[in-house]
Amino acid sequence: MSLFGLGRNQKTFRPKKSAPSGTKGAQLRKHIDATLGSGNLREAVKLPPGEDLNEWLAVNTVDFFNQVNLLFGTLTEFCTPENCSTMTAGPKYEYRWADGVQIKKPIEVSAPKYVEYLMDWIETQLDDESIFPQKLGAAFPPNFKEVVKTIFKRLFRVYAHIYHTHFQKIVSLKEEAHLNTCFKHFILFTHEFGLIDKKELAPLQEIIESIIAPY
C-alpha cells in the first residue's frame, strides 16, 4: 500500500481540509481534478475562463496545504527533533518560526516543530472566514493575495527541507515520482501567479529551473 494513501502514518495526518466558498469551491475542484487528469500541469494551474482569481487561489491553497500535509506525514518517523534539530534546506538555509501573533520574534525550532507550527498557522488562516470566506459570493479581504503568498512561501520551505534532507528516504520508499509531481504542480502554480519571490526559491533553484525552463 502506498504511503501516500492510507499508510502506516495515517494517525499523523490532519483531517483533510475541504474547499472554501460552498458550491463554487466544489465546481472549481472538479475543474482541477479534470485538468490534472489530463496530465498537463501547465494547463491545470491556469485560471479557468470567467472565474474569479481569489476563488481560484483559495481552492488551490487548500489543495496544496493538504498535499504538503500528506507528504510530510509520510516522513514523521524520520524527520524527528533528534535527526532534524533545526529547520534547514541544505547547509546555507535555516528557517526560524514566527507568526507575528503568539511568536513575534523568530525562534529556532526543530524541523518537525516548525512544520507543526506552520500547519497550525495555515489551518487558522483557512478557518478564518474573514480571510477565506465560506459563503458563496462573500468578499475576500483586500490583502488576500498577500496572505496566500505567505502561505505558499512557507509551504515551499517544507519542500525545500524534504528535498535537501529526506530525498534518499523518499527514494527508498519509492515515492520520488509522487513527490516530484506534487512539487512540479506547486511550482507551476506559484510561477503562474507570482506567489513566491525568487530569492525565497534559491534552495531548490536548479530543480525549479528544470521545471519552468521547458515552457
Side-chain angles (χ1 to χ4, degrees), residues 72 78-97 106-117 157-158 160-162 164-166:
F72 191 75
F78 316 110
C79 186
T80 62
E82 295 72 38
N83 294 340
C84 302
S85 58
T86 53
M87 178 64 172
T88 58
K92 284 196 208 162
Y93 301 95
E94 182 190 322
Y95 303 117
R96 299 186 174 206
W97 178 256
I107 56 170
E108 184 180 291
V109 290
S110 69
K113 191 68 187 169
Y114 185 99
V115 176
E116 183 188 328
Y117 276 137
R157 294 170 177 180
V158 182
H161 177 71
I162 291 173
H164 275 282
T165 311
H166 301 295

mmCIF file of all heavy atoms in Angstrom, residues 72 78-97 106-117 157-158 160-162 164-166:
data_model
loop_
_atom_site.group_PDB
_atom_site.id
_atom_site.type_symbol
_atom_site.label_atom_id
_atom_site.label_comp_id
_atom_site.label_asym_id
_atom_site.label_seq_id
_atom_site.Cartn_x
_atom_site.Cartn_y
_atom_site.Cartn_z
ATOM 1 N N PHE A 72 4.442 15.310 4.116
ATOM 2 C CA PHE A 72 5.245 15.361 5.335
ATOM 3 C C PHE A 72 4.827 14.262 6.308
ATOM 4 O O PHE A 72 5.656 13.731 7.050
ATOM 5 C CB PHE A 72 5.139 16.732 6.012
ATOM 6 C CG PHE A 72 6.153 16.912 7.102
ATOM 7 C CD1 PHE A 72 7.491 17.148 6.792
ATOM 8 C CD2 PHE A 72 5.801 16.805 8.439
ATOM 9 C CE1 PHE A 72 8.446 17.275 7.785
ATOM 10 C CE2 PHE A 72 6.752 16.936 9.442
ATOM 11 C CZ PHE A 72 8.074 17.169 9.110
ATOM 12 N N PHE A 78 10.999 9.740 10.394
ATOM 13 C CA PHE A 78 12.397 10.033 10.028
ATOM 14 C C PHE A 78 12.772 11.475 10.358
ATOM 15 O O PHE A 78 13.917 11.769 10.673
ATOM 16 C CB PHE A 78 12.620 9.771 8.540
ATOM 17 C CG PHE A 78 12.004 8.483 8.063
ATOM 18 C CD1 PHE A 78 10.893 8.492 7.227
ATOM 19 C CD2 PHE A 78 12.509 7.263 8.483
ATOM 20 C CE1 PHE A 78 10.313 7.307 6.804
ATOM 21 C CE2 PHE A 78 11.939 6.078 8.069
ATOM 22 C CZ PHE A 78 10.833 6.094 7.232
ATOM 23 N N CYS A 79 11.801 12.385 10.203
ATOM 24 C CA CYS A 79 12.052 13.799 10.493
ATOM 25 C C CYS A 79 11.681 14.047 11.951
ATOM 26 O O CYS A 79 10.542 14.386 12.276
ATOM 27 C CB CYS A 79 11.228 14.689 9.565
ATOM 28 S SG CYS A 79 11.622 16.441 9.758
ATOM 29 N N THR A 80 12.641 13.822 12.824
ATOM 30 C CA THR A 80 12.410 13.922 14.274
ATOM 31 C C THR A 80 13.253 15.061 14.834
ATOM 32 O O THR A 80 14.203 15.518 14.195
ATOM 33 C CB THR A 80 12.825 12.609 14.960
ATOM 34 O OG1 THR A 80 14.239 12.421 14.735
ATOM 35 C CG2 THR A 80 12.052 11.418 14.414
ATOM 36 N N PRO A 81 12.934 15.526 16.052
ATOM 37 C CA PRO A 81 13.764 16.569 16.665
ATOM 38 C C PRO A 81 15.226 16.150 16.799
ATOM 39 O O PRO A 81 16.128 16.983 16.762
ATOM 40 C CB PRO A 81 13.119 16.770 18.041
ATOM 41 C CG PRO A 81 11.702 16.304 17.877
ATOM 42 C CD PRO A 81 11.760 15.186 16.876
ATOM 43 N N GLU A 82 15.463 14.827 16.933
ATOM 44 C CA GLU A 82 16.847 14.329 17.064
ATOM 45 C C GLU A 82 17.578 14.405 15.717
ATOM 46 O O GLU A 82 18.720 14.848 15.628
ATOM 47 C CB GLU A 82 16.850 12.869 17.561
ATOM 48 C CG GLU A 82 16.308 12.666 18.964
ATOM 49 C CD GLU A 82 14.798 12.830 19.056
ATOM 50 O OE1 GLU A 82 14.086 12.410 18.126
ATOM 51 O OE2 GLU A 82 14.331 13.409 20.080
ATOM 52 N N ASN A 83 16.884 13.968 14.663
ATOM 53 C CA ASN A 83 17.515 13.941 13.332
ATOM 54 C C ASN A 83 17.570 15.321 12.684
ATOM 55 O O ASN A 83 18.482 15.611 11.913
ATOM 56 C CB ASN A 83 16.739 13.010 12.386
ATOM 57 C CG ASN A 83 16.808 11.559 12.827
ATOM 58 O OD1 ASN A 83 17.694 11.193 13.591
ATOM 59 N ND2 ASN A 83 15.869 10.750 12.376
ATOM 60 N N CYS A 84 16.564 16.137 12.956
ATOM 61 C CA CYS A 84 16.438 17.452 12.305
ATOM 62 C C CYS A 84 16.213 18.507 13.384
ATOM 63 O O CYS A 84 15.102 19.001 13.569
ATOM 64 C CB CYS A 84 15.273 17.447 11.319
ATOM 65 S SG CYS A 84 15.409 16.200 10.022
ATOM 66 N N SER A 85 17.283 18.845 14.084
ATOM 67 C CA SER A 85 17.147 19.745 15.243
ATOM 68 C C SER A 85 16.854 21.185 14.842
ATOM 69 O O SER A 85 16.390 21.985 15.652
ATOM 70 C CB SER A 85 18.401 19.694 16.121
ATOM 71 O OG SER A 85 19.526 20.057 15.353
ATOM 72 N N THR A 86 17.125 21.527 13.571
ATOM 73 C CA THR A 86 16.736 22.850 13.057
ATOM 74 C C THR A 86 16.048 22.665 11.713
ATOM 75 O O THR A 86 16.212 21.638 11.050
ATOM 76 C CB THR A 86 17.952 23.780 12.866
ATOM 77 O OG1 THR A 86 18.921 23.106 12.059
ATOM 78 C CG2 THR A 86 18.573 24.179 14.182
ATOM 79 N N MET A 87 15.262 23.664 11.313
ATOM 80 C CA MET A 87 14.540 23.609 10.037
ATOM 81 C C MET A 87 15.455 24.164 8.951
ATOM 82 O O MET A 87 15.604 25.376 8.795
ATOM 83 C CB MET A 87 13.251 24.438 10.146
ATOM 84 C CG MET A 87 12.427 24.493 8.865
ATOM 85 S SD MET A 87 11.785 22.861 8.382
ATOM 86 C CE MET A 87 10.697 23.343 7.035
ATOM 87 N N THR A 88 16.106 23.263 8.233
ATOM 88 C CA THR A 88 17.100 23.680 7.239
ATOM 89 C C THR A 88 16.721 23.206 5.841
ATOM 90 O O THR A 88 15.893 22.300 5.673
ATOM 91 C CB THR A 88 18.485 23.106 7.574
ATOM 92 O OG1 THR A 88 18.355 21.666 7.623
ATOM 93 C CG2 THR A 88 19.008 23.621 8.891
ATOM 94 N N ALA A 89 17.366 23.841 4.851
ATOM 95 C CA ALA A 89 17.299 23.376 3.463
ATOM 96 C C ALA A 89 18.730 23.399 2.955
ATOM 97 O O ALA A 89 19.167 24.351 2.315
ATOM 98 C CB ALA A 89 16.392 24.280 2.647
ATOM 99 N N GLY A 90 19.482 22.365 3.315
ATOM 100 C CA GLY A 90 20.909 22.336 2.987
ATOM 101 C C GLY A 90 21.702 23.183 3.973
ATOM 102 O O GLY A 90 21.145 23.750 4.911
ATOM 103 N N PRO A 91 23.013 23.281 3.779
ATOM 104 C CA PRO A 91 23.870 23.968 4.754
ATOM 105 C C PRO A 91 23.695 25.488 4.790
ATOM 106 O O PRO A 91 23.999 26.125 5.791
ATOM 107 C CB PRO A 91 25.292 23.607 4.296
ATOM 108 C CG PRO A 91 25.155 23.224 2.855
ATOM 109 C CD PRO A 91 23.777 22.663 2.684
ATOM 110 N N LYS A 92 23.152 26.069 3.712
ATOM 111 C CA LYS A 92 23.102 27.532 3.635
ATOM 112 C C LYS A 92 21.827 28.160 4.180
ATOM 113 O O LYS A 92 21.798 29.347 4.455
ATOM 114 C CB LYS A 92 23.212 27.969 2.166
ATOM 115 C CG LYS A 92 24.588 27.900 1.575
ATOM 116 C CD LYS A 92 24.584 28.725 0.286
ATOM 117 C CE LYS A 92 25.597 28.210 -0.696
ATOM 118 N NZ LYS A 92 25.334 28.693 -2.035
ATOM 119 N N TYR A 93 20.765 27.371 4.284
ATOM 120 C CA TYR A 93 19.470 27.965 4.615
ATOM 121 C C TYR A 93 18.875 27.363 5.887
ATOM 122 O O TYR A 93 18.739 26.149 6.004
ATOM 123 C CB TYR A 93 18.479 27.779 3.459
ATOM 124 C CG TYR A 93 18.986 28.410 2.180
ATOM 125 C CD1 TYR A 93 19.676 27.652 1.239
ATOM 126 C CD2 TYR A 93 18.817 29.771 1.929
ATOM 127 C CE1 TYR A 93 20.180 28.222 0.079
ATOM 128 C CE2 TYR A 93 19.311 30.357 0.775
ATOM 129 C CZ TYR A 93 19.992 29.581 -0.144
ATOM 130 O OH TYR A 93 20.494 30.152 -1.288
ATOM 131 N N GLU A 94 18.526 28.242 6.810
ATOM 132 C CA GLU A 94 17.834 27.812 8.033
ATOM 133 C C GLU A 94 16.621 28.717 8.218
ATOM 134 O O GLU A 94 16.695 29.930 8.041
ATOM 135 C CB GLU A 94 18.752 27.937 9.259
ATOM 136 C CG GLU A 94 18.062 27.458 10.527
ATOM 137 C CD GLU A 94 18.860 27.788 11.795
ATOM 138 O OE1 GLU A 94 20.097 27.700 11.747
ATOM 139 O OE2 GLU A 94 18.241 28.152 12.794
ATOM 140 N N TYR A 95 15.496 28.087 8.558
ATOM 141 C CA TYR A 95 14.258 28.841 8.750
ATOM 142 C C TYR A 95 13.897 28.877 10.232
ATOM 143 O O TYR A 95 13.924 27.847 10.902
ATOM 144 C CB TYR A 95 13.120 28.195 7.957
ATOM 145 C CG TYR A 95 13.411 28.079 6.479
ATOM 146 C CD1 TYR A 95 13.505 26.836 5.856
ATOM 147 C CD2 TYR A 95 13.611 29.218 5.695
ATOM 148 C CE1 TYR A 95 13.769 26.730 4.488
ATOM 149 C CE2 TYR A 95 13.892 29.122 4.336
ATOM 150 C CZ TYR A 95 13.958 27.870 3.745
ATOM 151 O OH TYR A 95 14.235 27.764 2.405
ATOM 152 N N ARG A 96 13.545 30.062 10.704
ATOM 153 C CA ARG A 96 13.084 30.208 12.086
ATOM 154 C C ARG A 96 11.601 30.547 12.071
ATOM 155 O O ARG A 96 11.127 31.134 11.109
ATOM 156 C CB ARG A 96 13.894 31.301 12.789
ATOM 157 C CG ARG A 96 15.355 30.917 12.819
ATOM 158 C CD ARG A 96 16.222 31.850 13.617
ATOM 159 N NE ARG A 96 17.565 31.275 13.669
ATOM 160 C CZ ARG A 96 18.432 31.521 14.635
ATOM 161 N NH1 ARG A 96 18.118 32.350 15.617
ATOM 162 N NH2 ARG A 96 19.614 30.949 14.621
ATOM 163 N N TRP A 97 10.922 30.198 13.143
ATOM 164 C CA TRP A 97 9.468 30.369 13.144
ATOM 165 C C TRP A 97 9.034 31.637 13.872
ATOM 166 O O TRP A 97 9.518 31.950 14.946
ATOM 167 C CB TRP A 97 8.755 29.183 13.793
ATOM 168 C CG TRP A 97 7.280 29.428 13.819
ATOM 169 C CD1 TRP A 97 6.512 29.791 14.883
ATOM 170 C CD2 TRP A 97 6.406 29.410 12.686
ATOM 171 N NE1 TRP A 97 5.215 29.993 14.482
ATOM 172 C CE2 TRP A 97 5.126 29.775 13.131
ATOM 173 C CE3 TRP A 97 6.590 29.138 11.319
ATOM 174 C CZ2 TRP A 97 4.021 29.856 12.283
ATOM 175 C CZ3 TRP A 97 5.491 29.219 10.466
ATOM 176 C CH2 TRP A 97 4.227 29.566 10.955
ATOM 177 N N PRO A 106 11.383 35.713 15.657
ATOM 178 C CA PRO A 106 11.675 34.374 15.121
ATOM 179 C C PRO A 106 12.496 33.509 16.076
ATOM 180 O O PRO A 106 13.474 33.975 16.658
ATOM 181 C CB PRO A 106 12.474 34.676 13.843
ATOM 182 C CG PRO A 106 12.043 36.052 13.448
ATOM 183 C CD PRO A 106 11.798 36.783 14.739
ATOM 184 N N ILE A 107 12.051 32.264 16.248
ATOM 185 C CA ILE A 107 12.737 31.333 17.160
ATOM 186 C C ILE A 107 13.253 30.129 16.381
ATOM 187 O O ILE A 107 12.664 29.719 15.381
ATOM 188 C CB ILE A 107 11.807 30.863 18.306
ATOM 189 C CG1 ILE A 107 10.515 30.227 17.743
ATOM 190 C CG2 ILE A 107 11.491 32.002 19.261
ATOM 191 C CD1 ILE A 107 9.664 29.519 18.781
ATOM 192 N N GLU A 108 14.355 29.585 16.855
ATOM 193 C CA GLU A 108 14.919 28.376 16.248
ATOM 194 C C GLU A 108 14.190 27.172 16.822
ATOM 195 O O GLU A 108 14.119 26.998 18.035
ATOM 196 C CB GLU A 108 16.419 28.286 16.579
ATOM 197 C CG GLU A 108 17.098 27.124 15.906
ATOM 198 C CD GLU A 108 18.581 27.052 16.255
ATOM 199 O OE1 GLU A 108 19.336 27.941 15.806
ATOM 200 O OE2 GLU A 108 18.962 26.119 16.993
ATOM 201 N N VAL A 109 13.618 26.361 15.933
ATOM 202 C CA VAL A 109 12.921 25.149 16.378
ATOM 203 C C VAL A 109 13.339 23.991 15.473
ATOM 204 O O VAL A 109 13.895 24.207 14.394
ATOM 205 C CB VAL A 109 11.379 25.312 16.325
ATOM 206 C CG1 VAL A 109 10.883 26.287 17.382
ATOM 207 C CG2 VAL A 109 10.906 25.744 14.944
ATOM 208 N N SER A 110 13.036 22.773 15.915
ATOM 209 C CA SER A 110 13.342 21.601 15.084
ATOM 210 C C SER A 110 12.445 21.622 13.845
ATOM 211 O O SER A 110 11.399 22.288 13.823
ATOM 212 C CB SER A 110 13.102 20.316 15.876
ATOM 213 O OG SER A 110 11.709 20.143 16.104
ATOM 214 N N ALA A 111 12.850 20.867 12.831
ATOM 215 C CA ALA A 111 12.053 20.817 11.596
ATOM 216 C C ALA A 111 10.622 20.327 11.858
ATOM 217 O O ALA A 111 9.669 20.960 11.404
ATOM 218 C CB ALA A 111 12.750 19.950 10.556
ATOM 219 N N PRO A 112 10.431 19.230 12.617
ATOM 220 C CA PRO A 112 9.041 18.797 12.827
ATOM 221 C C PRO A 112 8.222 19.831 13.604
ATOM 222 O O PRO A 112 7.031 20.007 13.339
ATOM 223 C CB PRO A 112 9.161 17.478 13.593
ATOM 224 C CG PRO A 112 10.568 17.399 14.073
ATOM 225 C CD PRO A 112 11.392 18.238 13.142
ATOM 226 N N LYS A 113 8.873 20.545 14.531
ATOM 227 C CA LYS A 113 8.153 21.578 15.291
ATOM 228 C C LYS A 113 7.786 22.736 14.371
ATOM 229 O O LYS A 113 6.679 23.286 14.454
ATOM 230 C CB LYS A 113 9.026 22.071 16.456
ATOM 231 C CG LYS A 113 8.270 22.941 17.451
ATOM 232 C CD LYS A 113 7.244 22.100 18.212
ATOM 233 C CE LYS A 113 6.343 22.940 19.090
ATOM 234 N NZ LYS A 113 5.213 22.161 19.613
ATOM 235 N N TYR A 114 8.699 23.110 13.479
ATOM 236 C CA TYR A 114 8.426 24.186 12.524
ATOM 237 C C TYR A 114 7.205 23.817 11.674
ATOM 238 O O TYR A 114 6.294 24.624 11.492
ATOM 239 C CB TYR A 114 9.641 24.414 11.619
ATOM 240 C CG TYR A 114 9.472 25.587 10.679
ATOM 241 C CD1 TYR A 114 10.034 26.829 10.972
ATOM 242 C CD2 TYR A 114 8.747 25.462 9.487
ATOM 243 C CE1 TYR A 114 9.877 27.916 10.109
ATOM 244 C CE2 TYR A 114 8.583 26.543 8.625
ATOM 245 C CZ TYR A 114 9.152 27.761 8.951
ATOM 246 O OH TYR A 114 8.967 28.821 8.098
ATOM 247 N N VAL A 115 7.201 22.585 11.161
ATOM 248 C CA VAL A 115 6.084 22.159 10.305
ATOM 249 C C VAL A 115 4.782 22.118 11.106
ATOM 250 O O VAL A 115 3.725 22.511 10.598
ATOM 251 C CB VAL A 115 6.390 20.801 9.637
ATOM 252 C CG1 VAL A 115 5.192 20.313 8.826
ATOM 253 C CG2 VAL A 115 7.623 20.912 8.741
ATOM 254 N N GLU A 116 4.871 21.694 12.354
ATOM 255 C CA GLU A 116 3.672 21.683 13.209
ATOM 256 C C GLU A 116 3.135 23.101 13.408
ATOM 257 O O GLU A 116 1.939 23.364 13.236
ATOM 258 C CB GLU A 116 4.012 21.058 14.571
ATOM 259 C CG GLU A 116 2.804 20.934 15.490
ATOM 260 C CD GLU A 116 3.197 20.484 16.901
ATOM 261 O OE1 GLU A 116 4.178 19.722 17.045
ATOM 262 O OE2 GLU A 116 2.548 20.918 17.852
ATOM 263 N N TYR A 117 4.020 24.021 13.759
ATOM 264 C CA TYR A 117 3.617 25.426 13.900
ATOM 265 C C TYR A 117 3.007 25.937 12.593
ATOM 266 O O TYR A 117 1.988 26.635 12.594
ATOM 267 C CB TYR A 117 4.825 26.311 14.229
ATOM 268 C CG TYR A 117 5.228 26.387 15.685
ATOM 269 C CD1 TYR A 117 6.577 26.328 16.056
ATOM 270 C CD2 TYR A 117 4.287 26.570 16.691
ATOM 271 C CE1 TYR A 117 6.969 26.429 17.388
ATOM 272 C CE2 TYR A 117 4.663 26.676 18.022
ATOM 273 C CZ TYR A 117 6.008 26.610 18.369
ATOM 274 O OH TYR A 117 6.385 26.714 19.684
ATOM 275 N N ARG A 157 9.068 25.974 2.000
ATOM 276 C CA ARG A 157 10.151 25.607 2.919
ATOM 277 C C ARG A 157 10.071 24.136 3.338
ATOM 278 O O ARG A 157 11.093 23.503 3.599
ATOM 279 C CB ARG A 157 10.118 26.517 4.153
ATOM 280 C CG ARG A 157 10.432 27.965 3.798
ATOM 281 C CD ARG A 157 10.177 28.908 4.947
ATOM 282 N NE ARG A 157 10.557 30.276 4.563
ATOM 283 C CZ ARG A 157 10.449 31.326 5.365
ATOM 284 N NH1 ARG A 157 9.970 31.179 6.597
ATOM 285 N NH2 ARG A 157 10.812 32.521 4.948
ATOM 286 N N VAL A 158 8.854 23.606 3.387
ATOM 287 C CA VAL A 158 8.705 22.185 3.715
ATOM 288 C C VAL A 158 9.262 21.351 2.557
ATOM 289 O O VAL A 158 10.000 20.381 2.767
ATOM 290 C CB VAL A 158 7.229 21.829 3.996
ATOM 291 C CG1 VAL A 158 7.102 20.350 4.374
ATOM 292 C CG2 VAL A 158 6.670 22.708 5.122
ATOM 293 N N ALA A 160 11.544 22.332 0.467
ATOM 294 C CA ALA A 160 12.999 22.532 0.464
ATOM 295 C C ALA A 160 13.667 21.620 1.494
ATOM 296 O O ALA A 160 14.717 21.016 1.220
ATOM 297 C CB ALA A 160 13.327 24.000 0.756
ATOM 298 N N HIS A 161 13.055 21.496 2.663
ATOM 299 C CA HIS A 161 13.615 20.618 3.701
ATOM 300 C C HIS A 161 13.553 19.152 3.258
ATOM 301 O O HIS A 161 14.521 18.408 3.417
ATOM 302 C CB HIS A 161 12.845 20.811 5.023
ATOM 303 C CG HIS A 161 13.320 19.897 6.110
ATOM 304 N ND1 HIS A 161 14.554 20.052 6.728
ATOM 305 C CD2 HIS A 161 12.756 18.793 6.675
ATOM 306 C CE1 HIS A 161 14.716 19.090 7.638
ATOM 307 N NE2 HIS A 161 13.642 18.318 7.610
ATOM 308 N N ILE A 162 12.417 18.751 2.689
ATOM 309 C CA ILE A 162 12.270 17.349 2.250
ATOM 310 C C ILE A 162 13.326 17.006 1.195
ATOM 311 O O ILE A 162 14.017 15.981 1.291
ATOM 312 C CB ILE A 162 10.846 17.085 1.694
ATOM 313 C CG1 ILE A 162 9.803 17.140 2.827
ATOM 314 C CG2 ILE A 162 10.780 15.725 0.989
ATOM 315 C CD1 ILE A 162 8.357 17.063 2.355
ATOM 316 N N HIS A 164 16.226 18.471 0.511
ATOM 317 C CA HIS A 164 17.619 18.535 0.970
ATOM 318 C C HIS A 164 17.950 17.477 2.017
ATOM 319 O O HIS A 164 19.081 16.991 2.073
ATOM 320 C CB HIS A 164 17.916 19.929 1.543
ATOM 321 C CG HIS A 164 18.302 20.922 0.500
ATOM 322 N ND1 HIS A 164 19.564 20.968 -0.063
ATOM 323 C CD2 HIS A 164 17.592 21.899 -0.106
ATOM 324 C CE1 HIS A 164 19.600 21.930 -0.968
ATOM 325 N NE2 HIS A 164 18.426 22.516 -1.024
ATOM 326 N N THR A 165 16.981 17.118 2.839
ATOM 327 C CA THR A 165 17.287 16.258 3.995
ATOM 328 C C THR A 165 16.760 14.838 3.857
ATOM 329 O O THR A 165 17.373 13.896 4.357
ATOM 330 C CB THR A 165 16.718 16.891 5.285
ATOM 331 O OG1 THR A 165 17.122 18.260 5.335
ATOM 332 C CG2 THR A 165 17.203 16.169 6.526
ATOM 333 N N HIS A 166 15.630 14.675 3.193
ATOM 334 C CA HIS A 166 14.955 13.367 3.227
ATOM 335 C C HIS A 166 14.748 12.736 1.850
ATOM 336 O O HIS A 166 14.013 11.765 1.730
ATOM 337 C CB HIS A 166 13.590 13.507 3.931
ATOM 338 C CG HIS A 166 13.698 14.012 5.331
ATOM 339 N ND1 HIS A 166 14.313 13.293 6.339
ATOM 340 C CD2 HIS A 166 13.283 15.182 5.898
ATOM 341 C CE1 HIS A 166 14.264 14.005 7.470
ATOM 342 N NE2 HIS A 166 13.655 15.150 7.229
#
